[in-house]
Amino acid sequence: KEGRWAIVTVSNWLEEDVIICGMYASCEQKEREIWMEDMEKRMLGREGYRMMVGDLNFVMDTQWDKVGGNKKNGLRGKKQQESWEENLGVRDVWRERNPNTVGTTWEERGNNKRKKVRTRIDRWLIDKRLEEEGKVGEIDIDRTRTSDHDMVRCQIVIKEGAEGAAMREHQEQ
């Protein structure tokens, strides 16, 4: 029931530490809201570029993030994500780049394709400074046949210094 998480801090990669938080939020609505509030407190104590990624088990907008099912359901967690965006400085870059695109990352299993529910519950929430500084490259949803969840792929662009270029050249010889 309870959500799960893992936090990794990467140092000496960008100008500041990069804090990557992998998450799986609870499917239970009230528990998910409480868990998300706790995650915000946990992340507030960490300085650096924040990246929060995973299965959040809710959608932000049923018009653009949900196909099928009851459009009134699936939004519990939205207020908490809005709080993350304001207080942690993260944003949903995929949605910002695709404002009028229906996007889904999860598909209900079953044989009746007309009744299947599809939602965008998996996402990257990326420090807004990384996007503003042009460090977020491609961010795409890659379809898969092996899971009910599709992969959300995010590219972070790092400018390589002379030492890194020299090392790469040496390795290529």
Side-chain angles (χ1 to χ4, degrees), residues 115-127:
K115 290 189 175 184
K116 280 191 178 181
V117 176
R118 296 188 338 247
T119 58
R120 191 173 72 90
I121 58 177
D122 306 283
R123 50 193 172 271
W124 281 87
L125 303 174
I126 300 169
D127 195 302

Side-chain angles (χ1 to χ4, degrees), residues 141-155:
I141 299 169
D142 292 339
R143 302 288 171 219
T144 180
R145 291 185 212 156
T146 58
S147 173
D148 57 343
H149 290 261
D150 292 325
M151 180 178 77
V152 183
R153 180 176 40 84
C154 177
Q155 177 188 42

Side-chain angles (χ1 to χ4, degrees), residues 160-173:
E160 190 176 81
E163 183 179 302
M167 178 64 84
R168 191 181 70 243
E169 263 183 47
H170 177 72
Q171 291 173 343
E172 290 173 355
Q173 292 178 359

Side-chain angles (χ1 to χ4, degrees), residues 75-96:
L75 293 165
R76 299 265 309 257
K78 180 177 179 169
K79 288 180 193 172
Q80 287 75 18
Q81 181 174 321
E82 288 170 344
S83 181
W84 288 1
E85 291 169 0
E86 182 178 334
N87 298 322
L88 299 175
V90 294
R91 55 169 51 148
D92 183 352
V93 176
W94 187 90
R95 175 51 65 210
E96 287 182 359

Side-chain angles (χ1 to χ4, degrees), residues 6-171:
I7 298 175
V8 175
T9 300
V10 182
S11 298
N12 301 318
W13 187 37
L14 296 172
E15 298 80 29
E16 296 182 35
D17 286 350
V18 178
I19 297 98
I20 304 169
C21 180
M23 304 173 292
Y24 175 80
S26 175
C27 292
E28 301 293 327
Q29 295 178 43
K30 184 64 181 163
E31 193 171 295
R32 176 173 52 244
E33 290 171 327
I34 294 166
W35 179 83
M36 289 180 72
E37 290 165 4
D38 181 56
M39 286 307 303
E40 180 174 334
K41 292 174 191 166
R42 229 177 259 287
M43 292 298 285
L44 275 171
R46 298 171 187 272
E47 294 297 321
Y49 293 113
R50 296 180 181 108
M51 300 171 68
M52 302 173 79
V53 57
D55 179 348
L56 297 176
N57 275 315
F58 72 93
V59 298
M60 289 297 284
D61 184 333
T62 56
Q63 177 181 358
W64 301 108
D65 298 331
K66 186 173 186 177
V67 175
N70 184 341
K71 294 287 187 175
K72 294 178 183 177
N73 292 340
L75 293 165
R76 299 265 309 257
K78 180 177 179 169
K79 288 180 193 172
Q80 287 75 18
Q81 181 174 321
E82 288 170 344
S83 181
W84 288 1
E85 291 169 0
E86 182 178 334
N87 298 322
L88 299 175
V90 294
R91 55 169 51 148
D92 183 352
V93 176
W94 187 90
R95 175 51 65 210
E96 287 182 359
R97 292 182 182 181
N98 300 278
N100 299 315
T101 301
V102 173
T104 62
T105 59
W106 173 83
E107 183 175 308
E108 180 180 34
R109 297 286 176 142
N111 294 330
N112 191 343
K113 291 189 182 214
R114 290 183 305 151
K115 290 189 175 184
K116 280 191 178 181
V117 176
R118 296 188 338 247
T119 58
R120 191 173 72 90
I121 58 177
D122 306 283
R123 50 193 172 271
W124 281 87
L125 303 174
I126 300 169
D127 195 302
K128 65 183 177 185
R129 296 172 301 158
L130 290 173
E131 176 74 346
E132 290 164 356
E133 294 168 12
K135 293 179 179 165
V136 181
E138 290 182 33
I139 183 162
D140 288 309
I141 299 169
D142 292 339
R143 302 288 171 219
T144 180
R145 291 185 212 156
T146 58
S147 173
D148 57 343
H149 290 261
D150 292 325
M151 180 178 77
V152 183
R153 180 176 40 84
C154 177
Q155 177 188 42
I156 301 299
V157 178
I158 302 170
K159 290 188 179 177
E160 190 176 81
E163 183 179 302
M167 178 64 84
R168 191 181 70 243
E169 263 183 47
H170 177 72
Q171 291 173 343

